[in-house]
Amino acid sequence: MARRKESDRAQQNNEDSDSNPNDELEEEPNFDDPEGYEDDISEQDLMGDLIRQRPKETDGVESIVVIDGVPQVGTERIEKLQNVLRKLFQKFGKITNEYYPLNADGSTKGHVFIEYSNASEALEVLKGTNGYKFDKNHTFTVNLLTDFEKYNEILDKWENPTPQPFKEQGCLQYYLLDPDACDQFSIVYEQGDKVAVNLNTQPEPTLLEERPRWTETLVRWSPLGTYLATFHAKGIALWGGEKFQQIVRFSHPGVQFIDFSPCEKYLVSFSPLADSRATDEPQAIIIWDVLSGLKRRAFNADKSQALPIFKWAHDDKYFARMGADMLSVYETPSFGLLDKKSIKVQGIRDFAWSPTDNTIAYWVGEEKDTPARVTLLELPSRNEVRVKNLFSVADCKMYWQKSGDYLCVKVDRYAKIRKDKSDIKYSGIYYNLEVFHMREKQIPVDSVEIKETIQAFAWEPVGTKFAVIHGEPPSTSVSFYEVKTGQTPTLVKKYERKPCNQLYWAPSGQFIVLAGLRAMSGTLEFVDTHDFTVMNTGEHFMATDVEWDPTGRYVATAVSWWGHKVDNAYWLWSFQGRILKRVALDKFCQLQWRPRPPSLLPAQQIKDIKKSLKKFSAQFEVKDRLKMTKASKELVEKRRKLMQEYEDLRKQKQDEYAAQRRRRIELRNNVDTDETEGRGGELEEETVEFFIKEETTFIDE
């Protein structure tokens, strides 16, 4: 603040003295910087928010795209060309301006400038239409207007980038080398503050790693078991190797959901709050390269879509998402649309990839007089290999068998429909199971009708059976069907009045757990579907989760703190339903088995091993008994040490007893009582009776 001149101040003081000579003079505060003061605060620190809003040189330019390869037409066809191009490019965003350069005769020059409302829409155009085949003679080349300046600034002399040092990660598949094929499992407890990884040895699990605050919410294994993913406020971290060292990090603030591709090449992270941030790039969904840690592509999220938004093909070559009346299939590693365009599917409701082939199954709802339909679509040819029309459909749900041999579509059908202004109500609901035989010629479809409400459905992972829970609690029933080539599914077994609401098949098939979780108090029934023998029944009160280990030898049941605040624990069972271990942990949250990759053995060799398994079962049983009796090397050594200490102490006391024999005889009047102790037959027994009390009681007649 500038100081007043001394003369002005003196004049002002005189005036004040004249008006009121008794008033004291007050000096104004001095806001000047001291002499020699240097301001070290940057403008970014003082006005960071305002500086970020400062106009940039590229504002208004980075939202412009240049399309080359446009047909050159005369004046009479320009309007038609504009309408066709406008219809194509309006799919990617709002067009605010367009410019068609013309020759002297009024014909187009073969390139077009289109401006969008923001830069992110221009980027989507670049990814979706660059290389687009407009007709057989014209293919578009699309660039951002800002790219021309960027390419002009390329250095004439190329400088090789500095190579990064190789970082040794160790053997990430070491867990497959365990001689006893023991599986690992992770547990999260103490409300997520602690995470541990255990090896499922018998009779006690072996702790491999335990860390406090390893994750902020939960953990997740990758599909083949190579990585352990942990969630953090700033993103995702992947861990692996014998010591679980950090392999890679992905920065994605606010991430709440992740999904690996089946072959673990890519990771999809989803942050539901990202779209609310002011940014030019999409940030809600990001696809990462797992090996390099690089961001491959980002997408905006439609909050109305169910998770996962993207679904992957079995070999990581394609991934797809569903939009309004379209199915968008992307290919890797370019991460662009397959054939540069989405697949138009009017009224699409859901889709699912085959677990073994690049085939998509999707269903379309009814519309006026057009029936609902299920379509099987091959990719990349886009050939419809099978279409099944369905009538009176309220809803559908698709279930692929793990081996891809069968597809079951659960169809909810109605007898009557009533349409209101904003709602549709169905009555007389019944159910059909439409089974597609994928390996047979022309893919025949068989139908199974079930009148009762279907509560759960599950395919046998390896085999030809499926199980259905139907009916209303507590009178639910469980039916098992078998599918054979050229035949309709046949009912092979039905259990009446079973208190269950979930089905859990063993990964190798044959064995299944019928579970009544949460409201059904945790009832468990272990069934062998080879002859439908109920091997055992049990109960884990208020159980929330059931997890089979990858080999199908053990089952874990859990009461998660996320579901119930009391009795938090996990129990381990054999596949036959015998309880092996009960572990109670404070605020236990989650248990997950570490997955295993598919076996490298051919199917026929696996089948032969199963047939001759009895030859090896004896030695396995001996090994198991040895483990159970001796427990472990540490326990055996501890017992041997205790036994040796006992024997030494016993011998010492026996020697002391023998050395004191002469003294004992002297103290007992020269009677050797050592010979008579323990020989009760040579001693006389004397019985002494005492009169204690006599009572007289009179009874009235």
Side-chain angles (χ1 to χ4, degrees):
M1 185 176 184
R3 295 181 181 178
R4 297 186 180 185
K5 294 181 180 179
E6 293 297 331
S7 57
D8 293 342
R9 183 181 295 174
Q11 182 180 355
Q12 181 68 31
N13 289 340
N14 291 335
E15 292 176 359
D16 292 341
S17 299
D18 293 341
S19 60
N20 191 355
N22 296 325
D23 290 344
E24 293 183 359
L25 296 177
E26 295 183 1
E27 287 203 16
E28 295 184 4
N30 183 9
F31 293 101
D32 286 348
D33 293 332
E35 193 172 329
Y37 174 78
E38 293 184 4
D39 190 356
D40 59 351
I41 302 177
S42 65
E43 292 183 352
Q44 182 67 32
D45 294 334
L46 288 174
M47 301 178 295
D49 294 339
L50 292 175
I51 290 175
R52 279 193 289 270
Q53 299 176 12
R54 181 172 55 189
K56 297 180 289 187
E57 293 181 5
T58 57
D59 281 356
V61 177
E62 55 191 10
S63 59
I64 299 175
V65 294
V66 183
I67 301 103
D68 288 311
V70 177
Q72 298 181 11
V73 298
T75 54
E76 69 281 357
R77 299 181 61 193
I78 288 180
E79 185 177 353
K80 183 178 180 181
L81 176 65
Q82 290 176 340
N83 291 335
V84 173
L85 293 180
R86 196 175 295 123
K87 185 177 179 181
L88 172 64
F89 288 99
Q90 276 179 344
K91 297 177 182 177
F92 300 93
K94 182 181 179 182
I95 297 176
T96 60
N97 197 6
E98 55 186 15
Y99 174 65
Y100 290 77
L102 303 177
N103 294 312
D105 59 355
S107 61
T108 59
K109 288 188 174 182
H111 56 271
V112 179
F113 297 84
I114 297 180
E115 182 178 0
Y116 285 86
S117 58
N118 57 64
S120 61
E121 293 177 351
L123 285 172
E124 290 297 318
V125 175
L126 177 64
K127 295 171 183 176
T129 60
N130 187 32
Y132 178 80
K133 192 163 181 145
F134 186 68
D135 56 34
K136 70 179 176 180
N137 296 323
H138 298 87
T139 301
F140 291 163
T141 302
V142 183
N143 292 281
L144 296 174
L145 188 59
T146 53
D147 288 344
F148 290 92
E149 182 179 353
K150 179 175 70 175
Y151 296 139
N152 283 332
E153 294 176 354
I154 295 177
L155 298 175
D156 295 333
K157 185 178 179 181
W158 168 254
E159 295 182 2
N160 290 324
T162 304
Q164 297 295 322
F166 174 73
K167 185 178 179 182
E168 179 62 46
Q169 304 289 1
C171 180
L172 299 181
Q173 285 79 27
Y174 79 96
Y175 60 96
L176 300 175
L177 303 177
D178 186 87
D180 296 323
C182 293
D183 286 297
Q184 298 179 11
F185 61 91
S186 63
I187 54 175
V188 180
Y189 59 103
E190 291 189 7
Q191 200 174 337
D193 286 344
K194 283 190 178 180
V195 177
V197 179
N198 293 330
L199 185 67
N200 187 32
T201 52
Q202 296 299 326
E204 296 291 334
T206 303
L207 179 65
L208 300 178
E209 193 74 26
E210 183 180 36
R211 297 179 189 176
R213 295 179 294 279
W214 199 352
T215 184
E216 295 183 17
T217 51
L218 50 87
V219 299
R220 181 172 176 182
W221 293 102
S222 58
L224 304 180
T226 308
Y227 308 103
L228 178 68
T230 57
F231 288 70
H232 308 273
K234 294 184 178 180
I236 298 295
L238 299 187
W239 311 78
E242 292 189 46
K243 300 299 183 181
F244 288 93
Q245 67 268 20
Q246 189 177 101
I247 306 299
V248 67
R249 291 182 301 174
F250 306 103
S251 177
H252 195 182
V255 61
Q256 295 184 11
F257 175 84
I258 64 170
D259 185 32
F260 283 91
S261 62
C263 299
E264 300 182 345
K265 293 181 181 178
Y266 307 105
L267 172 74
V268 183
S269 60
F270 172 54
S271 175
L273 303 178
D275 279 347
S276 61
R277 303 188 183 102
T279 178
D280 294 334
E281 290 278 346
Q283 293 293 330
I285 304 172
I286 301 178
I287 302 180
W288 308 87
D289 188 292
V290 171
L291 290 179
S292 65
L294 297 177
K295 175 180 173 181
R296 302 308 303 266
R297 186 164 178 185
F299 297 85
N300 289 317
D302 184 356
K303 295 182 180 180
S304 62
Q305 287 184 318
L307 296 175
I309 295 176
F310 287 102
K311 298 179 183 179
W312 289 88
H314 74 287
D315 55 4
D316 289 5
K317 287 185 178 179
Y318 308 101
F319 61 99
R321 73 184 295 182
M322 187 175 64
D325 297 331
M326 67 177 181
L327 182 64
S328 300
V329 181
Y330 300 85
E331 57 184 345
T332 61
S334 67
F335 291 87
L337 278 170
L338 180 64
D339 296 334
K340 306 297 180 182
K341 57 184 177 181
S342 297
I343 304 171
K344 293 182 180 179
V345 184
Q346 191 71 28
I348 185 171
R349 301 282 289 276
D350 194 13
F351 75 99
W353 286 95
S354 166
T356 55
D357 303 289
N358 288 329
T359 301
I360 283 182
Y362 66 85
W363 78 279
V364 176
E366 293 179 325
E367 186 175 354
K368 296 182 180 179
D369 297 330
T370 305
R373 71 180 188 276
V374 176
T375 303
L376 298 176
L377 185 71
E378 278 187 348
L379 291 171
S381 64
R382 305 195 183 198
N383 180 34
E384 293 185 355
V385 295
R386 188 68 164 90
V387 178
K388 173 70 174 177
N389 290 329
L390 303 169
F391 298 89
S392 303
V393 176
D395 193 17
C396 286
K397 195 166 184 181
M398 294 172 289
Y399 302 91
W400 281 97
Q401 188 208 29
K402 186 179 179 181
S403 58
D405 295 338
Y406 303 99
L407 167 68
C408 179
V409 181
K410 180 178 76 72
V411 185
D412 301 0
R413 301 199 174 197
Y414 61 86
K416 294 182 180 180
I417 182 173
R418 188 177 67 185
K419 295 183 179 180
D420 297 335
K421 291 183 179 180
S422 59
D423 193 16
I424 299 177
K425 295 183 179 180
Y426 303 100
S427 60
I429 295 290
Y430 62 100
Y431 302 87
N432 272 43
L433 300 177
E434 305 289 338
V435 180
F436 292 71
H437 299 250
M438 299 299 299
R439 306 304 182 197
E440 297 183 34
K441 189 176 181 180
Q442 297 182 346
I443 310 180
V445 182
D446 292 319
S447 183
V448 177
E449 183 174 337
I450 298 178
K451 294 293 185 181
E452 298 175 306
T453 303
I454 294 179
Q455 306 289 348
F457 176 96
W459 279 104
E460 183 180 18
V462 181
T464 59
K465 294 187 285 290
F466 63 84
V468 183
I469 300 177
H470 51 92
E472 296 293 341
S475 301
T476 52
S477 301
V478 183
S479 297
F480 290 87
Y481 292 83
E482 187 167 9
V483 184
K484 294 183 179 180
T485 303
Q487 299 180 14
T488 59
T490 56
L491 179 65
V492 291
K493 184 66 176 179
K494 183 177 181 180
Y495 293 102
E496 301 282 355
R497 300 183 65 84
K498 289 291 182 182
C500 61
N501 53 16
Q502 297 292 334
L503 301 165
Y504 295 96
W505 284 96
S508 55
Q510 184 175 344
F511 304 105
I512 189 173
V513 176
L514 313 180
L517 302 184
R518 300 182 185 273
M520 289 192 173
S521 302
T523 57
L524 305 168
E525 196 159 326
F526 298 79
V527 179
D528 181 357
T529 61
H530 178 70
D531 52 7
F532 292 98
T533 302
V534 178
M535 299 181 292
N536 206 349
T537 58
E539 181 181 6
H540 189 175
F541 185 67
M542 300 309 290
T544 57
D545 304 284
V546 176
E547 293 278 349
W548 280 92
D549 83 316
T551 61
R553 295 179 295 177
Y554 303 100
V555 184
T557 59
V559 179
S560 172
W561 185 79
W562 295 331
H564 296 285
K565 303 303 181 187
V566 294
D567 298 331
N568 303 130
Y570 72 88
W571 294 2
L572 294 178
W573 310 69
S574 71
F575 74 96
Q576 297 166 319
R578 182 167 54 90
I579 186 69
L580 303 175
K581 187 70 177 174
R582 295 180 176 92
V583 181
L585 293 172
D586 182 36
K587 296 181 180 178
F588 166 80
C589 298
Q590 181 193 37
L591 182 145
Q592 277 196 331
W593 293 98
R594 187 170 193 169
R596 287 177 174 266
S599 174
L600 299 178
L601 299 177
Q604 185 58 43
Q605 191 171 352
I606 294 175
K607 195 173 182 180
D608 294 341
I609 292 173
K610 287 183 177 180
K611 286 182 179 179
S612 58
L613 194 60
K614 290 184 179 179
K615 297 180 182 178
F616 309 101
S617 60
Q619 60 182 3
F620 292 149
E621 289 173 1
V622 171
K623 204 171 184 179
D624 289 341
R625 280 197 299 269
L626 188 63
K627 286 181 182 179
M628 297 305 296
T629 54
K630 293 187 176 180
S632 64
K633 291 181 180 179
E634 294 82 3
L635 187 58
V636 169
E637 188 63 32
K638 183 178 178 181
R639 289 176 178 174
R640 186 180 292 115
K641 184 179 179 181
L642 290 173
M643 189 64 183
Q644 186 63 43
E645 290 176 355
Y646 167 74
E647 293 291 347
D648 293 343
L649 180 62
R650 186 171 181 268
K651 186 176 184 306
Q652 177 187 346
K653 296 303 179 183
Q654 284 177 340
D655 293 343
E656 291 178 2
Y657 186 79
Q660 296 170 357
R661 184 171 184 272
R662 184 183 297 248
R663 180 61 178 162
R664 283 196 305 276
I665 294 175
E666 292 176 358
L667 292 173
R668 296 173 183 176
N669 297 323
N670 294 321
V671 177
D672 187 1
T673 58
D674 292 353
E675 299 297 326
T676 59
E677 285 182 357
R679 297 184 304 187
E682 299 179 4
L683 301 177
E684 295 182 0
E685 182 178 350
E686 182 180 356
T687 303
V688 180
E689 296 182 357
F690 296 92
F691 180 78
I692 299 174
K693 187 179 180 182
E694 181 179 355
E695 291 184 356
T696 304
T697 304
F698 296 96
I699 300 174
D700 297 333
E701 294 183 359

